[in-house]
Amino acid sequence: MRLFRNTNIPFVRVRYVAYVISAILILAGIFAFITKGLNWSIDFTSGVAAKVSLKALDETIPKVRIAELRSVLKNNGFPEAEIQHIGEPDNSSFMIKIKSKTDEADVSSETKNRILEILTQNFSKYVEGRNLSTEVIEEIYVVGPKVGAELRTQAMLAVIISLVLMIIYIWFRFELTFGVMAIVALFHDVMIIVGIFALTGKEITIQIIAALLTIVGYSINDTIVIFDRIREDLKVHRKDPIPVIFNRSINQTLGRTTITAGTTLMTALALFFFGGTVLHDFAFAMCLGIFFGTYSSIFVASNLVLDAYAVTHKEKQAIQHLTKKK
């Protein structure tokens, strides 16, 4: 199936427009990062996350509303508590997240005990006759500040190491300029997505880090497909100007890139709309990643290689090196 046939869209000619759009998005993200900062989840800071079931044994008792639970926690010293439904609202199952306010190691444990006390005192008819530690508090975990800081450092390290390894891989497979510019395009994708999360105040959770790493892999795959076609076209069309070859290669792979991105985006959108609150932000990050990863593969990565050659004047040397490879 070919979605596009013999297209000649001037991707190379409009590259400076794409650079301006990318620069605006990245600068907006940096501004949001500086002014608002990132909303790290308790996985990366410290606090308590508890999965709570407040379904009374007596079915005639009205269901607990999320606003009621939020009000009780607020009146008992936790106005910043984040509460989400788990599953259908009629299940009366909630996820409560409370971040520690200080860096003291024992604060999270105190918070855990306080949550248990509040639920027992304010929702007695919902916990009556049920085992508090297994049926009401179905799951609870505490993250200390030291563990949270270590996890945050390791998450950043994982993203950086993955990018460095990709430079080495693309350098080995293509040429150094291709590798460096591919990573610049990946940084571009990650910076924009993190900037949007800073702007919207959405939490950076472990799932979001997993989404970022998935996006890195997705975007580099698209970019390599275009790089491969450029290398083949450089061998076949040796006498054509380099910008013409680059533009032709992007157009030749446009159908494949669009179909891959479209089908992957449909899956991510299905998760976004029907995956529930637990997967909502993960799917949101994936949708952004697919969109900007595809955009950077078409408009940014290859064009950056072209401009890098123009600046370094190593075009002929690099092309000889590329076309010698099998």
Side-chain angles (χ1 to χ4, degrees), residues 118-162:
I118 291 169
L119 293 178
T120 307
Q121 290 177 352
N122 294 275
F123 298 96
S124 55
K125 58 185 178 183
Y126 295 95
V127 303
E128 188 176 0
R130 303 173 65 196
N131 188 310
L132 188 65
S133 58
T134 59
E135 295 177 358
V136 177
I137 307 293
E138 295 181 341
E139 188 179 340
I140 186 165
Y141 69 93
V142 178
V143 179
K146 186 178 178 182
V147 174
E150 287 177 357
L151 198 57
R152 192 167 61 224
T153 303
Q154 289 171 356
M156 292 180 181
L157 202 59
V159 174
I160 292 170
I161 288 174
S162 67

Side-chain angles (χ1 to χ4, degrees), residues 1 118 162 206 215 226:
M1 175 182 175
I118 291 169
S162 67
I206 288 179
I215 290 161
I226 297 174

Side-chain angles (χ1 to χ4, degrees), residues 20 133 179 196 203:
V20 171
S133 58
I196 291 173
E203 269 196 341

Side-chain angles (χ1 to χ4, degrees), residues 158-174:
V159 174
I160 292 170
I161 288 174
S162 67
L163 294 176
V164 171
L165 290 176
M166 284 184 190
I167 285 184
I168 296 171
Y169 166 69
I170 300 173
W171 183 5
F172 174 77
R173 183 166 172 180
F174 294 92

Side-chain angles (χ1 to χ4, degrees), residues 35-86:
T35 55
K36 301 179 70 174
L38 292 177
N39 181 17
W40 293 100
S41 74
I42 64 170
D43 297 324
F44 300 106
T45 53
S46 64
V48 174
K51 183 181 176 184
V52 177
S53 172
L54 292 175
K55 192 171 186 177
L57 293 178
D58 184 353
E59 295 185 355
T60 61
I61 296 176
K63 308 291 182 188
V64 175
R65 293 172 298 154
I66 194 167
E68 183 182 359
L69 179 58
R70 185 172 288 119
S71 175
V72 166
L73 288 172
K74 181 180 178 181
N75 294 335
N76 283 276
F78 297 107
E80 77 289 357
E82 296 176 15
I83 308 171
Q84 292 178 323
H85 275 295
I86 299 177

Side-chain angles (χ1 to χ4, degrees), residues 252-326:
Q252 287 174 345
T253 53
L254 188 61
R256 180 265 176 202
T257 303
T258 308
I259 290 172
T260 304
T263 51
T264 314
L265 185 61
M266 282 193 283
T267 307
L269 284 172
L271 277 179
F272 181 79
F273 288 112
F274 307 113
T277 53
V278 175
L279 291 176
H280 191 268
D281 286 354
F282 173 82
F284 178 64
M286 289 298 297
C287 290
L288 291 175
I290 293 165
F291 178 80
F292 287 109
T294 306
Y295 162 78
S296 69
S297 297
I298 295 173
F299 289 97
V300 179
S302 306
N303 288 326
L304 283 176
V305 174
L306 202 60
D307 287 325
Y309 283 156
V311 171
T312 59
H313 303 291
K314 293 183 177 179
E315 180 181 298
K316 290 183 179 178
Q317 182 183 348
I319 291 172
Q320 285 176 355
H321 178 73
L322 265 176
T323 52
K324 280 181 181 177
K325 283 181 174 289
K326 294 181 180 179

